[in-house]
Amino acid sequence: MGKENPAAEKASNLLRSRLCDPNFVVKHLSDSPDSNYSSVTEACNNSILLLGPRGSGKIAVLELILTDLLLEYPDTISVIKLNGLLHSDDCCAFKEIARQLCMEHQLLFSKMASFDDNSQFMIEMLRECGLAHKTIIFVLDEFDLFAQGKQRLLYSLLDAMQSVTSQAVVIGVSCRLDADQLLEKRVRSRFSHRKLLFLPPSKEDMQRLLEHILSLPVDSSLPHAYAVEFNKKIKNILADGRFKEIVNTLVNLDSTVNHLLRFLFLAVSYMDLESGFLSFENFKTALSNSHRQPKLECIKDCSILELYILVCMKRLEVKEQNSYNFNSVMKEYKSIHDSFQTSDYYSRNVCLRAFEHLLQRELICFTDNRGYSQSVEFRPVKLLISSIELHQGLKSYCSCPVILLKLVER
Amino acid sequence: MPAIASHNSIMAVKLENAGEVARSNGGSTPQKRRLRSDAAAVENMSPISTPMKLKSPRRCANSSPNSGANGIEMEINEKLMSARKSPVKKKLCDSFKSKPNWNPQDVEQMSAVREALHVSTAPSTIVCREDEQKKVLEFCKKNLEEEKAGSLYVCGCPGTGKSLSMEKVQHYLVDWAKEAGLQQPEVFSINCTSLTNTSEIFSKILLKLQPRKKLNGSTSPLQYLQNLYSQKLHSSVMKMMLIIADELDYLITRDRAVLHDLFMLTTFPFSRFILIGIANAIDLADRFLPRLQSMNCKPLVVTFRAYSKDQIIRILQERLMELPYIVFQPQALELCARKVAAASGDMRKALSVCRSAIEILEAEMRESVSKMNSASAEQGLFDQQAASAFEFFNSQANNFFLLLVRVDHMAVALSNTFKSPVVDTIKSLPQHQQILLCSAVKFFRGGKKDMTVGELNKSYMNICKTSVIPPVGTLEFFSMCRVLHDQGILKVGQSRDDKLKRVTLKADESDVTFALQGVRFFRNCLQ
């Protein structure tokens, strides 16, 4: 056992670092947009929009391509990155562009430069770089946020690409599918209408990706026999029908690659370091932990009296009493006790304490924000959990009184 | 080409056919012969007109593997016949007679073609805009001769050649003034988006007019200009100035003062401006400059209409004329022009579509080359006959239409440009999000305008109950709504309570129905 421990730890570390590194995943999946390459090599201006839901790897693919390009053509590319959340105001955006250009070319940047100066500077830099055959790549993250307001930045960037003297590429990244409909018509006319859609991977791709990520490299510093055994076990798990069901449940909710990676990370963290192998139970625990239901967990911690109070409030709601307060809940509680002769009947003060507990745990809350002068008993309250959640919580509560279940089911 | 490469027998037959055709046509270069016979065949068969079908040439080639010597000729005639006849095509055919096809694998040719089709290369002569340019030129010439001030407003949709034409007019005017012996006008061209403050335009004009003038604090540039033009000064001091203001609607402020003052500057008694404003709105002059009309100094309006199909084809041809080889099949150009003219008449779009069609052709060639390489590697041995045939085909590659940008490439490029990604995205959404969308569509079909997230949740759970799919919890439901909101398919409003946020459907209902029709469950659900 002692010998396997370091290997297992190493394996787990390796897998975890793989899952955190977007490049590893993306390299396996991607087919890179070649238009970027052509713009650099043939010196023609281009613009492109990358669209796709959040977490589908758009920025990861972009980073991959940029690093490749920088390796291939080290001196002829400069990259300017802007983010719509930070720089959606035109003045800010131009300032940031000027600052990044200054940093790239080791010029001094003055914070006092006006909007005019900054835009002039950008246009001149574009011209200079065009003459020197250097390409400037503008990456606009959260592209749809740039399309608010007067769209001056977008217009000037796209207009600059219409002139022969500049050599630039504008790459917009957005999660809104109609990002190009948000543009004004003259800006849209200058945009070259290329869109790249990032769709979630198909089932076969997903299968291949899982295998690729979870298989240990056979010829690394890990002991050979261990790695081979590990890979064999992984193959068995992946082929298992129950595992496919787990992946299906996961994918039916959110099919982006990011979501899948987070699930895998959880599973790897649960790996049993003693045996050093991933097992099917790890994945099951990971699934249940990634789909947490905080309100259900809250209910599990409630006392029986608190459950009674919740059920009373539910019954009041079902009776279509729109607003009720602690006093009405108490009345209902008493009526239940009278009709069913339950053994759990507590005094009013104890109930009030339980009520306050529920308020603190945010299972119920006040409906009005005023009325601090009134005492707790008179303010209207409402439930913060749905009937289904209450039902599920009661069912999974150990030693729940049968009467409560009956009352809720009615 | 990979299809051909894998059938040795077909290749052998084709070799014979090609050779026979060459021999029967008198031994001149096969390529020229074939094209002339095609043109002749088209003229012969013109009374028969079939509707335009998009048949891929590869299919044509395989459809009659054992036909006789006229097999290839017949197939090519079929292809040409299936396109609709138009007068433009005859001209294209004539121009094609003398040029070879291009070789897309040649990097230089590819970059030359790309450059010719790029938006930034301004052609030396601007076609299809002669009327408008003449109008503007006449106006400017008249004003220059009489040394009068005047204003002109150029309007039109984006991508119709306004800024380009104005640049040409500017050059013509300066040259003409030189030839006619008049004083050369100053030219000041500005794009109004580069102004931080709209009234800066006056200081810029002043800077250009009198570079060394320093104003004291009390007079603004506008006032100075107004004073200047109210008095008569020596004409040698005051040159005529041509101002071209692009994107004029950026000057529109709440009180519309700047735009008004700019145009009013031309109405002063001793003003020396010829102002040309460029914008998109047709009625800008009427809406924002009402006072000018009462003074009888309304600017002359020149409208640049959107390009028609024939104009687009002509412009594309002009650009491609300079290249010594053919790149596009004529039907492909026509399809592109037709579609773009019907949509917006925007020339930039047409150029962009052509460029992406070239890229599709490039990608296809690369794929076929790699497939061929892998196929040959798999086979291991290559027949002697096949090898020589292959070389023959490679050398004669120019003859085949397979290397031109064809109609199917153009169709793919057009669908990429014009299609919205919504349908594809909805098809690839995870299942629960699709159910959510389905329930939203069903709800809104009832005619209601919006709903809350809580109601949507209920409707979603009903659908899940009917189909025995376990619904997701409330937290996940809220995050799914948020994800769909981020993507622009739903719109979720703001509220303190998550359940009370208002939800509206942004994607079109028919798009959702179309996207989900492949799954029987959703089809039944949405009936």
Side-chain angles (χ1 to χ4, degrees):
Chain A
M1 277 309 131
K3 196 168 74 143
E4 288 199 301
N5 260 342
E9 263 188 62
K10 250 172 103 174
S12 124
N13 283 344
L14 174 70
L15 287 176
R16 275 197 261 202
S17 57
R18 264 194 200 171
L19 288 167
C20 291
D21 178 18
N23 285 347
F24 185 79
V25 177
V26 167
K27 263 205 167 81
H28 181 77
L29 276 185
S30 72
D31 42 11
S32 50
D34 303 305
S35 49
N36 279 350
Y37 291 104
S38 67
S39 311
V40 173
T41 52
E42 299 175 23
C44 58
N45 299 333
N46 238 332
S47 52
I48 190 172
L49 201 54
L50 304 179
L51 301 172
R54 287 196 195 280
S56 39
K58 308 182 288 286
I59 297 277
V61 168
L62 194 61
E63 292 289 325
L64 197 66
I65 295 178
L66 286 178
T67 30
D68 281 346
L69 280 177
L70 281 171
L71 282 176
E72 236 183 282
Y73 307 98
D75 282 326
T76 47
I77 303 188
S78 32
V79 182
I80 309 274
K81 295 203 182 140
L82 291 175
N83 193 314
L85 290 168
L86 301 169
H87 309 127
S88 57
D89 181 33
D90 293 320
C91 297
C92 271
F94 275 110
K95 193 153 128 178
E96 182 65 20
I97 293 180
R99 187 184 71 85
Q100 290 193 16
L101 280 172
C102 286
M103 247 180 19
E104 286 269 336
H105 300 267
Q106 277 113 27
L107 300 166
L108 282 178
F109 170 69
S110 146
K111 287 200 198 150
M112 294 296 132
S114 68
F115 174 81
D116 238 355
D117 295 338
N118 284 336
S119 53
Q120 275 302 101
F121 176 63
M122 182 183 91
I123 295 180
E124 278 171 15
M125 278 303 278
L126 277 172
R127 201 168 343 142
E128 289 299 312
C129 289
L131 290 173
H133 289 291
K134 292 176 76 147
T135 318
I136 304 187
I137 301 186
F138 289 94
V139 176
L140 298 175
D141 211 350
E142 314 287 346
F143 186 76
D144 43 310
L145 293 175
F146 279 111
Q148 295 167 349
K150 274 202 160 182
Q151 302 183 5
R152 235 196 273 225
L153 171 70
L154 290 178
Y155 181 85
S156 2
L157 277 182
L158 291 173
D159 200 33
M161 299 208 318
Q162 308 260 290
S163 69
V164 199
T165 51
S166 54
Q167 200 172 321
V169 180
V170 172
I171 305 178
V173 179
S174 173
C175 61
R176 271 189 78 154
L177 301 170
D178 54 347
D180 63 331
Q181 306 295 328
L182 295 170
L183 298 173
E184 268 183 24
K185 23 175 220 201
R186 50 185 156 207
V187 180
R188 189 151 29 126
S189 159
R190 285 169 167 79
F191 169 64
S192 82
H193 294 104
R194 279 164 212 257
K195 295 187 276 234
L196 214 53
L197 196 53
F198 280 70
L199 294 173
S202 63
K203 289 231 159 73
E204 298 84 32
D205 282 339
M206 190 96 61
Q207 200 64 10
R208 269 190 294 139
L209 178 69
L210 284 172
E211 217 175 300
H212 178 67
I213 293 182
L214 292 173
S215 313
L216 290 177
V218 186
D219 52 352
S220 71
S221 52
L222 296 165
H224 183 85
Y226 167 68
V228 168
E229 180 75 22
F230 188 92
N231 290 350
K232 205 163 60 130
K233 284 222 158 96
I234 289 285
K235 266 213 173 71
N236 286 342
I237 294 181
L238 290 180
D240 192 354
R242 297 176 298 162
F243 181 79
K244 293 207 171 109
E245 251 185 66
I246 289 188
V247 171
N248 274 347
T249 345
L250 204 66
V251 161
N252 279 344
L253 185 57
D254 185 353
S255 50
T256 55
V257 181
N258 216 355
H259 192 77
L260 185 69
L261 291 181
R262 262 185 265 161
F263 164 71
L264 288 178
F265 192 89
L266 269 177
V268 171
S269 312
Y270 286 127
M271 185 164 93
D272 181 17
L273 288 177
E274 287 266 322
S275 67
F277 297 115
L278 275 175
S279 69
F280 176 70
E281 275 64 41
N282 296 139
F283 290 102
K284 235 169 112 176
T285 345
L287 181 70
S288 58
N289 276 350
S290 59
H291 287 171
R292 286 180 58 211
Q293 314 257 34
K295 296 249 161 94
L296 282 184
E297 288 166 17
C298 255
I299 290 193
K300 282 203 196 118
D301 293 334
C302 282
S303 65
I304 305 267
L305 176 58
E306 285 161 8
L307 289 180
Y308 262 100
I309 295 181
L310 285 174
V311 171
C312 288
M313 290 175 76
K314 189 83 232 152
R315 279 169 62 94
L316 285 176
E317 264 188 21
V318 167
K319 288 188 200 166
E320 304 221 0
Q321 218 172 325
N322 283 337
S323 76
Y324 45 87
N325 57 15
F326 178 68
N327 289 332
S328 13
V329 175
M330 279 292 102
K331 266 193 235 153
E332 179 74 21
Y333 184 49
K334 187 156 187 316
S335 77
I336 290 182
H337 173 69
D338 287 340
S339 45
F340 293 104
Q341 300 298 325
T342 59
S343 54
D344 306 302
Y345 190 64
Y346 297 97
S347 71
R348 192 188 169 85
N349 283 338
V350 178
C351 292
L352 190 56
R353 189 54 72 86
F355 193 74
E356 281 170 3
H357 269 176
L358 286 175
L359 278 171
Q360 280 165 356
R361 256 210 234 109
E362 298 229 337
L363 285 168
I364 61 181
C365 73
F366 293 121
T367 46
D368 60 344
N369 278 337
R370 300 161 260 124
Y372 284 118
S373 53
Q374 289 182 313
S375 76
V376 174
E377 304 165 341
F378 295 104
R379 290 173 69 189
V381 291
K382 66 173 181 184
L383 270 178
L384 281 181
I385 64 172
S386 65
S387 54
I388 295 190
E389 280 169 334
L390 186 58
H391 198 145
Q392 262 183 314
L394 286 177
K395 271 207 280 205
S396 58
Y397 192 90
C398 46
S399 74
C400 171
V402 180
I403 188 81
L404 283 179
L405 280 172
K406 236 187 356 177
L407 286 171
V408 166
E409 265 162 31
R410 233 189 289 158
Chain B
M1 281 216 299
I4 298 176
S6 56
H7 291 103
N8 294 344
S9 56
I10 297 180
M11 267 199 333
V13 170
K14 287 231 178 295
L15 254 188
E16 285 169 36
N17 289 345
E20 274 177 347
V21 166
R23 263 178 272 126
S24 66
N25 285 332
S28 45
T29 62
Q31 177 247 324
K32 266 197 199 159
R33 271 287 141 191
R34 186 172 302 160
L35 285 174
R36 224 173 279 155
S37 68
D38 294 339
V42 167
E43 277 158 15
N44 287 342
M45 299 191 199
S46 52
I48 311 168
S49 61
T50 53
M52 182 159 162
K53 268 194 298 181
L54 308 176
K55 280 210 295 191
S56 91
R58 227 176 269 150
R59 264 194 285 149
C60 283
N62 281 340
S63 61
S64 48
N66 289 318
S67 50
N70 285 330
I72 294 186
E73 208 173 350
M74 275 302 291
E75 285 152 12
I76 297 176
N77 291 343
E78 263 175 49
K79 263 183 295 187
L80 282 182
M81 214 171 68
S82 64
R84 263 208 283 176
K85 46 184 171 37
S86 69
V88 178
K89 199 157 68 69
K90 290 250 173 74
K91 269 195 270 175
L92 283 175
C93 280
D94 293 338
S95 70
F96 281 173
K97 266 190 224 170
S98 47
K99 287 202 230 174
N101 290 2
W102 73 319
N103 179 10
Q105 288 169 339
D106 183 358
V107 175
E108 264 187 39
Q109 289 192 4
M110 180 66 92
S111 59
V113 170
R114 277 226 174 96
E115 216 181 291
L117 284 179
H118 200 269
V119 187
S120 55
T121 40
S124 48
T125 50
I126 301 188
V127 293
C128 303
R129 286 297 176 211
E130 293 92 356
D131 292 335
E132 288 88 352
Q133 280 184 304
K134 205 159 55 138
K135 252 201 239 178
V136 176
L137 260 182
E138 296 283 325
F139 176 82
C140 294
K141 281 187 198 170
K142 192 166 68 101
N143 280 15
L144 263 187
E145 279 171 349
E146 302 172 10
E147 294 211 343
K148 230 174 40 145
S151 56
L152 181 71
Y153 174 61
V154 173
C155 59
C157 292
T160 42
K162 303 185 293 290
S163 309
L164 202 58
S165 311
M166 289 307 113
E167 257 180 76
K168 290 288 175 216
V169 160
Q170 188 185 322
H171 292 308
Y172 284 160
L173 206 62
V174 170
D175 292 338
W176 171 83
K178 206 176 354 177
E179 282 172 22
L182 293 171
Q183 202 181 36
Q184 272 191 319
E186 288 268 348
V187 176
F188 175 60
S189 140
I190 179 174
N191 192 321
C192 299
T193 51
S194 57
L195 299 170
T196 11
N197 199 354
T198 44
S199 40
E200 266 181 34
I201 188 168
F202 298 115
S203 43
K204 289 205 175 173
I205 295 178
L206 191 58
L207 199 65
K208 186 82 195 238
L209 195 60
Q210 302 190 339
R212 280 180 296 271
K213 180 78 195 170
K214 280 232 186 322
L215 284 176
N216 54 357
S218 55
T219 45
S220 70
L222 174 61
Q223 283 173 336
Y224 180 78
L225 286 169
Q226 286 174 337
N227 287 342
L228 199 60
Y229 291 134
S230 319
Q231 331 154 5
K232 184 166 174 62
L233 287 178
H234 203 247
S235 61
S236 65
V237 172
M238 303 284 293
K239 294 173 79 170
M240 292 293 289
M241 186 144 129
L242 176 68
I243 303 181
I244 303 184
D246 216 341
E247 312 293 352
L248 204 59
D249 44 330
Y250 271 96
L251 285 182
I252 298 178
T253 50
R254 210 113 185 266
D255 55 353
R256 308 169 187 173
V258 174
L259 193 63
H260 206 267
D261 288 332
L262 186 63
F263 274 88
M264 287 288 274
L265 272 179
T266 57
T267 61
F268 278 88
F270 300 103
S271 168
R272 320 284 275 168
F273 280 152
I274 304 178
L275 174 66
I276 301 184
I278 308 182
N280 292 129
I282 296 188
D283 56 351
L284 196 93
D286 296 326
R287 266 193 298 158
F288 295 107
L289 305 168
R291 257 186 277 170
L292 286 183
Q293 186 164 20
S294 54
M295 299 214 316
N296 227 7
C297 316
K298 210 163 102 108
L300 182 66
V301 175
V302 178
T303 318
F304 275 58
R305 309 193 68 82
Y307 287 118
S308 70
K309 175 193 86 135
D310 294 323
Q311 287 178 325
I312 296 184
I313 295 187
R314 244 188 89 199
I315 297 178
L316 286 173
Q317 269 177 271
E318 282 286 328
R319 284 203 177 214
L320 295 171
M321 195 79 85
E322 319 159 335
L323 300 169
Y325 33 77
I326 319 170
V327 183
F328 287 88
Q329 223 187 8
Q331 294 91 332
L333 279 183
E334 205 184 314
L335 175 66
C336 168
R338 212 180 273 276
K339 194 75 200 274
V340 172
S344 56
D346 186 345
M347 197 60 222
R348 291 192 187 111
K349 217 170 205 170
L351 290 171
S352 153
V353 167
C354 290
R355 263 187 306 158
S356 73
I358 292 184
E359 278 171 21
I360 293 175
L361 174 70
E362 207 187 331
E364 197 185 80
M365 298 225 66
R366 249 186 312 184
E367 220 183 282
S368 68
V369 164
S370 68
K371 252 196 256 177
M372 237 179 342
N373 287 340
S374 64
S376 68
E378 275 169 25
Q379 280 183 353
L381 46 88
F382 224 178
D383 252 359
Q384 191 61 286
Q385 195 183 26
S388 59
F390 191 58
E391 279 167 0
F392 176 78
F393 271 106
N394 256 350
S395 64
Q396 300 267 319
N398 287 343
N399 296 343
F400 285 88
F401 284 98
L402 292 175
L403 286 184
L404 293 178
V405 178
R406 295 189 308 272
V407 179
D408 48 336
H409 299 136
M410 194 60 85
V412 172
L414 281 169
S415 76
N416 281 349
T417 310
F418 284 102
K419 193 171 61 155
S420 99
V422 171
V423 172
D424 278 335
T425 318
I426 296 183
K427 274 199 195 146
S428 62
L429 280 179
Q431 192 188 42
H432 282 286
Q433 292 182 15
Q434 285 177 332
I435 301 181
L436 209 170
L437 266 186
C438 213
S439 54
V441 165
K442 266 181 101 159
F443 194 91
F444 284 114
R445 261 198 204 154
K448 305 201 187 126
K449 282 304 164 185
D450 59 0
M451 63 200 295
T452 61
V453 175
E455 289 167 20
L456 189 62
N457 199 354
K458 273 197 210 124
S459 156
Y460 161 79
M461 288 207 228
N462 284 341
I463 295 190
C464 284
K465 233 185 281 184
T466 59
S467 58
V468 200
I469 301 178
V472 295
T474 346
L475 262 188
E476 274 103 11
F477 187 81
F478 291 149
S479 70
M480 282 204 299
C481 286
R482 219 188 13 239
V483 165
L484 287 175
H485 166 79
D486 276 340
Q487 292 189 265
I489 302 180
L490 282 184
K491 184 159 144 65
V492 179
Q494 295 283 358
S495 169
R496 264 179 300 135
D497 188 10
D498 268 341
K499 283 217 186 83
L500 294 177
K501 295 190 181 167
R502 310 210 76 83
V503 174
T504 41
L505 193 62
K506 265 182 100 168
D508 203 22
E509 187 190 312
S510 45
D511 277 341
V512 178
T513 326
F514 178 72
L516 294 176
Q517 68 183 9
V519 182
R520 194 161 47 103
F521 168 66
F522 291 120
R523 246 205 325 259
N524 297 340
C525 202
L526 286 173
Q527 260 161 10

